[in-house]
Amino acid sequence: MSGSAFFEVDDLHVHFASRAKLFRETPPPVKAVNGISFSIEPGKTFGLVGESGSGKSTVARAILQLVDVHAGTIRLDGDDVTNVPRPKELAFRKKVQAVLQDPFSSLNQVHQTRRIIGDGITRHFKIKPGPEREQRIINLLDEVGMSTEFLDRYPYEMSGGQRQRVSIARALAVEPELIIADEATSALDVSIQSQVINVLQRVQAETGVAFLFIGHDLEVVKHVSDDVGVMYLGYLVEQGDADAIYEGPTHPYTEMLVASIPMPNPIMQASRRELRQSFNNDAEPPSPARMPPGCPFENRCPVALDICREEMPEPSPAHHGGQVRCHLHTSGPELGGESVVEFIKTEARGQVAV
Amino acid sequence: MTATTSVAQSPRRRFWGRMFKNPLGIFSMIWFVILLIAWVWPELLATHDPLQQDVTLQRLFEGPSRDHWLGTDQLGRDWYSRVIFGAGYAFRSILIAMTIAVVVGVPLGLFSGWRGGRVDRAIMWVNDVLFSLPIILLAMAVIIILTPSLDNAMIGVGIAMSTRFTRLTRAVTLQEKEELYVDSARITGLSTRTILARYIAPNLLSSLIVQAAIISGAIILIGATLSFLGIGASLDDPDWGVMLNRSRELFRVEGVWQVVPPGMALILTVLSFNLLGDAIRDAIGRDSSNNALSITKRTAVTAATTPHATGPDVVLSVRDMDVEFPDQSGRVSQILQGVSLEVRAGETLGVVGESGSGKSMTMLSALGLTPAPGRMTRGSVQFGGRDVTNLTESEWQAIRGKDVGVIFQEPIAVLNPAIKVGRQIAEPLMIHQNLSKKAALQRAGELLAEVRVPDPVRRLDQYPHEFSGGMAQRAGIAMALACEPKLLIADEPSTALDVTVQGQILDLMAEVQERHKMAIILITHDLGVIAEAADRVLVMYGGQVVETASADDIFFRPKHPYSRALLDTMPQSHDGHGELPVIRGMVPSATAWPQGCRFAPRCDFVTDACTNDMPALETIGGDLVRCVRHGEIQLVPEEEMQA
Ligand SMILES: Nc1ncnc2c1ncn2[C@@H]1O[C@H](COP(=O)(O)OP(=O)(O)OP(=O)(O)O)[C@@H](O)[C@H]1O
Ligand code: SF4
Ligand code: SF4
Ligand SMILES: [Mg+2]
């Protein structure tokens, strides 16, 4: 990483201490995030995908100062914002905002839209409730496609999509430079999800805000992102250009994710399903408290090598301009950063008799 | 996905609505109002001066009379007026003790819960010690330090009661601080004080009010006890405890009546505070009726006019089903209108539609599970060729347990956290197949193996929390399959799971269907899942069926604009990073269906004809369509038609 990026996460580690038990040895900490690095430029979106428990939200919470960073640095505009001290917190909050997953619980049920959006304006711009603040709130609502009739609504008087728009307006209210969207559209119906994604993209085009977009659906994440990172059990196993990764994944897990997205087309879906079934479907990912010494994906990988059980693969360059953590590129077939799609198709066929 | 699009009733209105529906709540509120008036303006209610004695000594120890409604005491004073004035003492006690309890207890609890860690543990240790001391003891301690008076005793009571508030506040704070909305407030940059005062405290308020009501009752009782023991109010005061004490002394001589007026006032007041607390709790309580499967009594159902699907392989057939729900104000909204469907053995029927379109309600109602206060008002249901429209709940239970399996969205929610998984799977086998416990457990192990849970025998002995989401859903499927049902209903079985796990569950369902030849109804909002698993598809919108067709027809030759629009909004249908197609607007609420076609406000093909009358559900070939323009509009682009 060059160190000159607008927003940069460098070798981030987050550990959660296990609870000490009386008369028993304290178990080792759970390593939720293991050495993650990526950067985002203004007006661009970095997408983070992975299954539940892979550490996506922990990355977001570390950036947002909601959990402690074990090691590594987070930089914004050249400033170290890893563990922001109290006096500087307000300035940091002004730059980094978030839209969180659950449109039901991320808004305070006892406050109306006006208050939800206005609090940040008062806090950061010292504008007391009054006509000026009201006008700002109305402009923000307009930006997310909502009319003034929603000013007096409580969260429970709005649909999931409307609440998520209010969340976006709240984040925009402080005119941030970076917005972290953690599963911001996951709880919504497909048709509403598309509306909210369009709002996010329009806002980005108009304000040049950068996004960290976290999701579990590679299809959605790819659509909104310039670059994506794929997380598995706390590791970034692959990262690079969004479209290039989707078209030609270089990590078997990424290919598994692509194969798992159901296509709304029975003919295409039949072949996706076949691809999906070439992976070891019944295996569960190992528990993060008891990580194997080798590649964490080994027990589900259809093309694992002997070395995979013993050694954790190191990042190596991939064809999409990013990096991949998989032994296939440096040992065995030595794919050298090329797509694994064809390799898995031919290799896995032989192994898995359907 | 349970996003409700309808505008909910405001909690305040709902609160008072419920309070006034609860007879005990009304009783306690009335009593409360009387006491309040007695406290603020006793002269308004009292008929005599409470201290005025009968100097003639003629009218001592009287029973109730026209002049003295509750009789007189040993000095000829009017009982009724003394009781009325006593309310003031009771309230004064509450005021002092409650102020101290709240002012000390709540901030301490907030602080302790928010800080957590060592500070929290230290505070709670001291708190627990104080909590365990008898309240009277603390009150006496304060009296000894200060001077004996009811007010000073109440200071001690307040300190003792503050521990209750500390505990409660801390518990709520600990819980609320994990909520996303508190994270959001921190991200906005609000100060801790603001978050505690404006975010946590309001959410705490309801529990505090309930607690305060109940504690108020206790305070009155304690105050009376202290006065009764002679260490509270002074001897001539019209305090209920003092009065009771004096009466007790004369009780043997002058009969029972003397203890009744102060005693009743005391009992009624304490009781009504407790009832008030309970009533507030019930009225605040979350809308549990939405989740509970309380089933409405069946009432007359208007017959269906469309004939049922026939044939030996038809498992479930529903015709012309209407389901209605009265809302709080008694207005009736039609949640389902004219729903018809059928599913055959070995077939998977996919049900799609946006949230709130009525997918889940259709399945619940078809199985006699319409949640109260809703009810099926029209239609007919056949299960395995038998008319089941008017079955009683116990008749239904026999069918559902044996012939219908259900898989839900949240697998963990179906499993009882306190019971081992093996027993939960075995139980229905013992009931419906009369297996012994041992045989049932063995079969449960086989079932877990069948749904490919690794190490099934060991897993039988585990509790649900030891299962991951995917494994819990497998266990859920095992439970649903236990009695080899003829029909399996899967309501969003994979939505809450990871994409990679979703595939596993779909594979598993296909596998068991192949083996047991059962019918499956698969409810989902994901057309990708439909494309993989469904043979036929039912598209729902606004509580109606808008189209049914084979899966191929829905995807390649949709007839209804809504089916087409749903397909277009899938991000998979869209390359590049540009704007995604959307269905504009949102699902209408059941209390305000649009005139005519319910999809009209969002439809790209709408004409005047659409908004006049509701389009009928027309049969075309074997398929159904509800759109007046279905013959004339072109929903498939030319290129795709050729491909
Ligand atoms: N207990 C209830 N009382 C009153 N209305 C209800 C109740 N349960 C559901 N509804 C209403 O019935 C309609 C249909 O709801 P249903 O749950 O069947 O939708 P769905 O299609 O399954 O949606 P989702 O995709 O969110 O699960 C909605 O308008 C909903 O608000
Ligand atoms: S390192 Fe080995 S086990 Fe891991 S993904 Fe690559 S091939 Fe599979
Ligand atoms: S009836 Fe009219 S408004 Fe309704 S779906 Fe058909 S074309 Fe659209
Ligand atoms: Mg549902």
Side-chain angles (χ1 to χ4, degrees):
Chain A
M1 297 275 130
S2 60
S4 62
F6 157 68
F7 178 74
E8 191 177 35
V9 170
D10 189 16
D11 199 26
L12 180 73
H13 292 258
V14 180
H15 293 182
F16 292 113
S18 309
R19 261 179 170 260
K21 290 208 181 91
L22 210 58
F23 306 123
R24 257 188 256 161
E25 214 177 314
T26 307
V30 173
K31 298 179 179 170
V33 176
N34 293 299
I36 282 194
S37 305
F38 62 89
S39 61
I40 315 177
E41 292 305 328
K44 298 282 183 202
T45 300
F46 184 80
L48 211 48
V49 271
E51 6 188 42
S52 72
S54 62
K56 312 177 298 280
S57 293
T58 308
V59 172
R61 294 174 66 80
I63 297 170
L64 291 166
Q65 321 280 317
L66 298 174
V67 294
D68 286 334
V69 172
H70 177 74
T73 43
I74 303 166
R75 270 187 291 273
L76 180 70
D77 277 336
D79 295 330
D80 188 335
V81 292
T82 314
N83 286 317
V84 180
R86 273 265 173 127
K88 290 196 178 157
E89 184 172 334
L90 193 60
F92 172 78
R93 298 288 180 209
K94 164 98 181 56
K95 290 182 178 172
V96 182
Q97 284 293 307
V99 180
L100 300 178
Q101 168 164 17
D102 188 345
F104 292 85
S105 63
S106 67
L107 301 180
N108 193 345
Q109 297 299 316
V110 302
H111 290 174
Q112 293 166 325
T113 302
R114 175 181 292 108
R115 180 76 158 291
I116 290 169
I117 301 176
D119 264 350
I121 300 177
T122 305
R123 179 77 172 151
H124 291 278
F125 300 108
K126 309 277 173 288
I127 300 173
K128 290 259 141 54
E132 188 188 352
R133 195 180 86 151
E134 188 80 353
Q135 192 52 50
R136 281 204 184 206
I137 298 172
I138 292 171
N139 293 348
L140 286 160
L141 279 180
D142 186 50
E143 203 159 340
V144 296
M146 293 175 85
S147 63
T148 49
E149 75 175 284
F150 288 95
L151 279 171
D152 298 314
R153 295 267 183 103
Y154 288 96
Y156 54 82
E157 296 173 325
M158 292 184 279
S159 71
Q162 289 162 347
R163 280 182 251 217
Q164 224 39 338
R165 287 169 197 238
V166 170
S167 292
I168 297 172
R170 166 175 62 186
L172 291 175
V174 315
E175 298 171 9
E177 295 168 13
L178 171 67
I179 293 181
I180 297 176
D182 186 5
E183 303 270 15
T185 62
S186 307
L188 304 175
D189 254 325
V190 197
S191 55
I192 308 302
Q193 167 176 285
S194 301
Q195 293 178 356
V196 172
I197 287 174
N198 287 345
V199 168
L200 285 174
Q201 292 194 308
R202 207 184 53 239
V203 161
Q204 182 169 55
E206 281 165 15
T207 63
V209 63
F211 277 118
L212 172 60
F213 189 93
I214 298 174
H216 64 272
D217 184 339
L218 182 55
E219 187 74 43
V220 173
V221 173
K222 176 207 78 170
H223 175 83
V224 300
S225 305
D226 301 284
D227 287 322
V228 293
V230 181
M231 281 189 79
Y232 190 73
L233 281 174
Y235 291 94
L236 208 49
V237 295
E238 174 162 17
Q239 73 182 108
D241 179 78
D243 294 309
I245 283 187
Y246 188 84
E247 295 305 325
T250 60
H251 195 284
Y253 176 62
T254 315
E255 172 66 348
M256 185 179 185
L257 280 183
V258 173
S260 301
I261 303 165
M263 294 298 283
N265 177 321
I267 296 166
M268 284 160 80
Q269 181 51 22
S271 61
R272 277 239 165 139
R273 179 181 188 190
E274 204 173 303
L275 186 62
R276 182 181 86 213
Q277 287 171 341
S278 59
F279 289 84
N280 182 0
N281 265 321
D282 295 337
E284 295 241 294
S287 142
R290 270 175 287 126
M291 289 281 274
C295 170
F297 190 56
E298 192 266 338
N299 68 332
R300 300 167 83 186
C301 182
V303 290
L305 310 167
D306 287 339
I307 185 179
C308 302
R309 205 162 304 144
E310 281 122 39
E311 256 179 61
M312 176 71 203
E314 289 303 315
S316 61
H319 74 89
H320 41 63
Q323 290 182 317
V324 56
R325 256 183 202 263
C326 170
H327 287 303
L328 290 179
H329 299 280
T330 46
S331 343
E334 300 200 15
L335 296 180
E338 287 310 308
S339 157
V340 288
V341 176
E342 285 309 313
F343 181 73
I344 290 181
K345 261 193 196 144
T346 48
E347 284 295 305
R349 274 284 144 68
Q351 285 179 13
V352 185
V354 182
Chain B
M1 296 246 130
T2 31
T4 6
T5 35
S6 58
V7 172
Q9 202 181 5
S10 96
R12 194 165 301 152
R13 277 189 47 201
R14 194 180 56 197
F15 173 82
W16 288 114
R18 287 192 187 167
M19 281 299 274
F20 283 114
K21 253 190 228 154
N22 181 347
L24 293 175
I26 294 179
F27 160 76
S28 54
M29 278 189 293
I30 291 175
W31 182 248
F32 207 64
V33 169
I34 295 175
L35 286 180
L36 270 177
I37 298 172
W39 173 35
V40 180
W41 196 0
E43 292 82 4
L44 190 71
L45 297 177
T47 49
H48 295 77
D49 177 346
L51 299 178
Q52 184 198 344
Q53 302 178 4
D54 180 26
V55 281
T56 62
L57 299 182
Q58 297 295 305
R59 310 192 67 176
L60 312 180
F61 302 119
E62 272 191 7
S65 67
R66 184 178 259 231
D67 194 22
H68 298 288
W69 298 349
L70 296 178
T72 57
D73 70 358
Q74 73 279 12
L75 296 177
R77 294 175 296 200
D78 180 51
W79 263 127
Y80 167 72
S81 303
R82 285 180 69 74
V83 167
I84 290 292
F85 274 86
Y89 286 79
F91 272 99
R92 190 183 165 85
S93 301
I94 294 176
L95 205 66
I96 295 171
M98 192 60 71
T99 307
I100 291 173
V102 170
V103 167
V104 174
V106 173
L108 204 60
L110 276 173
F111 176 73
S112 190
W114 184 260
R115 274 298 291 270
R118 219 166 287 161
V119 177
D120 176 46
R121 257 170 288 160
I123 292 177
M124 289 322 287
W125 186 82
V126 175
N127 197 68
D128 285 348
V129 170
L130 279 178
F131 183 81
S132 61
L133 295 176
I135 298 169
I136 303 253
L137 199 69
L138 275 167
M140 303 230 288
V142 174
I143 293 179
I144 291 168
I145 298 168
L146 304 172
T147 49
S149 78
L150 187 60
D151 290 359
N152 286 342
M154 281 302 142
I155 294 175
V157 173
I159 292 171
M161 288 302 182
S162 75
T163 59
R164 275 79 177 161
F165 285 104
T166 307
R167 273 193 170 188
L168 175 74
T169 310
R170 169 180 175 268
V172 175
T173 309
L174 277 178
Q175 188 194 341
E176 293 286 325
K177 95 174 170 184
E178 298 301 324
E179 293 285 338
L180 275 183
Y181 75 88
V182 172
D183 280 348
S184 305
R186 289 174 71 185
I187 290 163
T188 302
L190 302 185
S191 67
T192 305
R193 223 185 47 213
T194 315
I195 295 177
L196 284 177
R198 296 231 322 261
Y199 281 69
I200 306 238
N203 287 298
L204 182 69
L205 203 61
S206 54
S207 334
L208 281 181
I209 291 175
V210 176
Q211 180 94 338
I214 292 167
I215 285 186
S216 298
I219 292 174
I220 294 187
L221 212 53
I222 293 165
T225 312
L226 288 168
S227 303
F228 188 82
L229 295 173
I231 47 180
S234 69
L235 283 183
D236 279 331
D237 288 342
D239 174 279
W240 294 340
V242 175
M243 290 189 256
L244 209 53
N245 189 14
R246 304 288 284 168
S247 304
R248 187 191 51 113
E249 291 165 6
L250 301 161
F251 171 73
R252 290 242 170 71
V253 201
E254 297 299 336
V256 151
W257 177 252
Q258 290 296 315
V259 293
V260 171
M264 282 305 284
L266 203 57
I267 290 171
L268 278 177
T269 306
V270 173
L271 200 67
S272 72
F273 267 120
N274 281 316
L275 290 176
L276 193 67
D278 287 348
I280 294 173
R281 177 181 309 146
D282 292 346
I284 291 172
R286 298 248 161 135
D287 223 334
S288 54
S289 59
N290 277 346
N291 320 330
L293 281 184
S294 49
I295 298 125
T296 5
K297 259 208 271 80
R298 298 241 147 198
T299 40
V301 179
T302 314
T305 46
T306 323
H308 274 282
T310 47
D313 58 343
V314 175
V315 177
L316 178 72
S317 170
V318 177
R319 287 294 177 266
D320 306 331
M321 181 166 69
D322 289 357
V323 169
E324 292 180 351
F325 270 81
D327 69 7
Q328 310 273 341
S329 56
R331 264 177 315 170
V332 169
S333 53
Q334 204 174 40
I335 300 282
L336 296 180
Q337 198 269 318
V339 172
S340 295
L341 64 88
E342 73 259 348
V343 59
R344 294 165 198 271
E347 177 190 59
T348 299
L349 174 71
V351 181
V352 278
E354 285 164 281
S355 181
S357 54
K359 308 184 292 293
S360 303
M361 195 58 70
T362 297
M363 289 314 127
L364 290 173
S365 298
L367 297 178
L369 287 171
T370 315
R375 60 190 199 95
M376 179 171 158
T377 50
R378 188 174 72 109
S380 163
V381 183
Q382 284 189 355
F383 190 89
R386 168 182 174 202
D387 188 342
V388 292
T389 317
N390 292 306
L391 290 196
T392 64
E393 175 53 18
S394 60
E395 289 168 319
W396 256 123
Q397 272 168 4
I399 297 182
R400 284 196 301 257
K402 203 161 66 62
D403 291 332
V404 184
V406 185
I407 311 173
F408 293 97
Q409 176 167 351
E410 294 286 344
I412 263 318
V414 184
L415 297 168
N416 183 334
I419 300 176
K420 285 179 181 166
V421 172
R423 233 194 87 196
Q424 298 194 49
I425 304 176
E427 213 128 75
L429 291 166
M430 289 156 66
I431 298 171
H432 293 288
Q433 301 197 335
N434 289 321
L435 293 185
S436 71
K437 191 171 172 201
K438 191 155 163 256
L441 272 176
Q442 189 187 339
R443 177 88 185 100
E446 289 165 17
L447 282 163
L448 280 186
E450 181 174 339
V451 295
R452 285 189 271 118
V453 168
D455 208 355
V457 178
R458 190 174 56 87
R459 290 281 189 168
L460 285 178
D461 244 359
Q462 292 187 333
Y463 288 93
H465 70 89
E466 296 173 76
F467 278 54
S468 69
M471 282 303 151
Q473 191 57 290
R474 282 167 193 250
I477 295 179
M479 273 172 83
L481 291 177
C483 297
E484 305 197 358
K486 298 194 178 79
L487 172 66
L488 183 67
I489 293 184
D491 193 348
E492 308 267 9
S494 56
T495 308
L497 304 173
D498 275 314
V499 271
T500 53
V501 183
Q502 165 170 299
Q504 302 168 13
I505 297 300
L506 292 179
D507 285 343
L508 184 63
M509 283 175 46
E511 199 184 304
V512 293
Q513 181 175 38
E514 177 73 31
R515 207 174 307 140
H516 301 291
K517 290 280 169 277
M518 61 192 162
I520 295 183
I521 297 181
L522 174 64
I523 302 175
T524 173
H525 67 277
D526 187 340
L527 281 166
V529 171
I530 295 281
E532 165 156 342
D535 302 303
R536 279 191 316 117
V537 182
L538 179 86
V539 185
M540 290 198 71
Y541 186 80
Q544 296 178 323
V545 173
V546 296
E547 179 169 4
T548 64
S550 73
D552 279 354
D553 280 350
I554 289 287
F555 285 102
F556 301 122
R557 292 167 291 277
K559 295 190 202 68
H560 197 282
Y562 182 61
S563 312
R564 175 79 227 181
L566 274 182
L567 272 171
D568 287 339
T569 56
M570 296 292 288
Q572 287 93 315
S573 317
H574 191 79
D575 284 332
H577 300 267
E579 192 151 320
L580 291 168
V582 299
I583 310 178
R584 63 171 184 268
M586 56 187 216
V587 183
S589 98
T591 50
W593 296 126
Q595 168 80 16
C597 172
R598 292 179 180 176
F599 187 54
R602 307 173 75 190
C603 181
D604 289 337
F605 301 92
V606 60
T607 59
D608 287 344
C610 305
T611 47
N612 289 340
D613 300 305
M614 183 186 295
L617 192 56
E618 284 179 56
T619 312
I620 303 159
D623 301 339
L624 299 174
V625 186
R626 192 189 285 279
C627 169
V628 289
R629 304 193 62 201
H630 70 81
E632 51 176 294
I633 49 181
Q634 172 90 359
L635 291 174
V636 189
E638 295 286 343
E639 335 83 79
E640 272 183 46
M641 294 275 266
Q642 275 138 31

